[in-house]
Structure formats: structure tokens, C-alpha cells
Amino acid sequence: MVGSKTDYEKLAMVAVLPEQAYLEGLIFGVAACPEIPMPEQWMPWAIRADANTAISKQQADELADYLMGRLRDTLDSMRKEERLLPEEYQWRGNGLQHDELQQWLKGLLTAHQQLEKQWQQAWQMSEQTLDLPALSGRLNRCLKLFTTLADPQSRLQQTPPEKRQELTDGLPRLAASLPPMLKEYVAISGELVQVLPNQFEVVPKTT
């Protein structure tokens, strides 16, 4: 479920934040990591790189409360196996322009890239327990789909000219497979969590 757009726009620090869809995707990527990072690691990713506004302690506290609330809501949705892709960001129609969905997926991919070390550590700890080649294939399929739908234009440019129309026509079908692939992505993380020591489903609290 997406956080209220009104609540988002009322944030004192909204001027230094990315688009809401991107931020929601980023938080999803953090929540889906096998080992959720501490707030001080991931919260700076929520600040736009070009932001030059001074941040007061009150504003920082407000932002931290908002981000932790969204993380908890996202984790709750994952635990309850609710819809992972918010209705507001669903692919609609056959065109290439789906800005909010693309922003959401770019946020997810940013989080995955930033958390690559955590994923690799979980991978290494699973060597004696899980079928890592099969798991790797499943994860790569997820990331390939996320990357394609996050920037269809770039994917088309990388596709041989004779196959571009086929890819264009197939985009709605790829988009239809996104919800189950998001569940697969979360499931892969869950399988890795099973073998990590001292893993508890607790979201660290900010002070």
C-alpha cells in the first residue's frame, strides 16, 4: 500500500526527497533485503543527490519517523502476502510511458545495488545449504524483468532492430508477470534469511 500522497507532500523535507514512487520502491528494496540494514545506512539514499537544503534536527526526526513507518508498513504487507506492487503503480495500457511504475522499479533497483554486499554475504552463508545456481537463476530473472520495465526505451535500444517490435508488443505481458516476480524476489530473500544466524523479523527503531 502506498503512503498517503497528502502526508508525503506535507513533509517538511519534501523538497529534498525524490518522487514518491521512487522512494516507495527504494523502501521496498530495503525491506526485501535478506538482512535489513540499519536506518543510518539506508536513509541517506532517500535524499536527492542535488538537494542543497539545510536539514534541521526536527526535520530529520520527522523524515526518520516517516521512513520507518513506511518500512514497517512494507514489511507488514510482505508478511501478510498482500499485493506487493501498489495499485497506483500498475502498468496500464500498451504504451511505453509508465512513469510512476518506472520510478518505483528504479528505486527498488537502486536499493538492490546499494545492498549488494548484504545479498552477497547471505549468498556465501548459504553455500552448504541451498541450491545456489538455481537460486541465482531465479534472482537474475527477477532483476532482468525489473530492469526491462524500469526503462523500456533503453532495453529497446539495446535490442536488435528486427526484434524491437516483438519486445514492444510483449511489454504488457512482461508487466503482467511483475507481481508474481516481486513475490519471487521476496521469496528468494526469505530462503536466504532461513540460513542466516540470529535473524529476527524486527525493524530497528530510530532514536
Side-chain angles (χ1 to χ4, degrees), residues 38-51:
M38 296 298 289
E40 57 266 27
Q41 179 181 352
W42 70 268
M43 284 188 179
W45 307 337
I47 306 299
R48 281 171 33 198
D50 60 349

Side-chain angles (χ1 to χ4, degrees), residues 103-176:
Q103 286 299 318
W104 192 86
L105 287 169
K106 286 175 181 176
L108 165 56
L109 290 167
T110 295
H112 186 90
Q113 183 179 30
Q114 293 282 5
L115 294 168
E116 187 174 356
K117 181 178 180 180
Q118 280 88 338
W119 279 90
Q120 288 178 345
Q121 288 176 341
W123 221 258
Q124 292 168 0
M125 292 181 182
S126 307
E127 286 181 338
Q128 305 302 319
T129 309
L130 301 177
D131 182 352
L132 292 187
L135 210 62
S136 177
R138 291 164 57 195
L139 181 60
N140 285 336
R141 283 192 292 274
C142 291
L143 295 174
K144 183 177 180 180
L145 177 66
F146 301 162
T147 301
T148 295
L149 295 177
D151 194 349
Q153 294 286 7
S154 291
R155 178 64 68 181
L156 283 170
Q157 291 173 2
Q158 297 167 11
T159 301
E162 65 274 13
K163 294 187 177 181
R164 288 177 185 171
Q165 189 59 49
E166 179 181 352
L167 175 58
T168 300
D169 294 341
L171 284 174
R173 292 193 298 274
L174 291 177

Side-chain angles (χ1 to χ4, degrees), residues 44-57:
W45 307 337
I47 306 299
R48 281 171 33 198
D50 60 349
N52 54 13
T53 303
I55 300 173
S56 69
K57 184 181 185 304

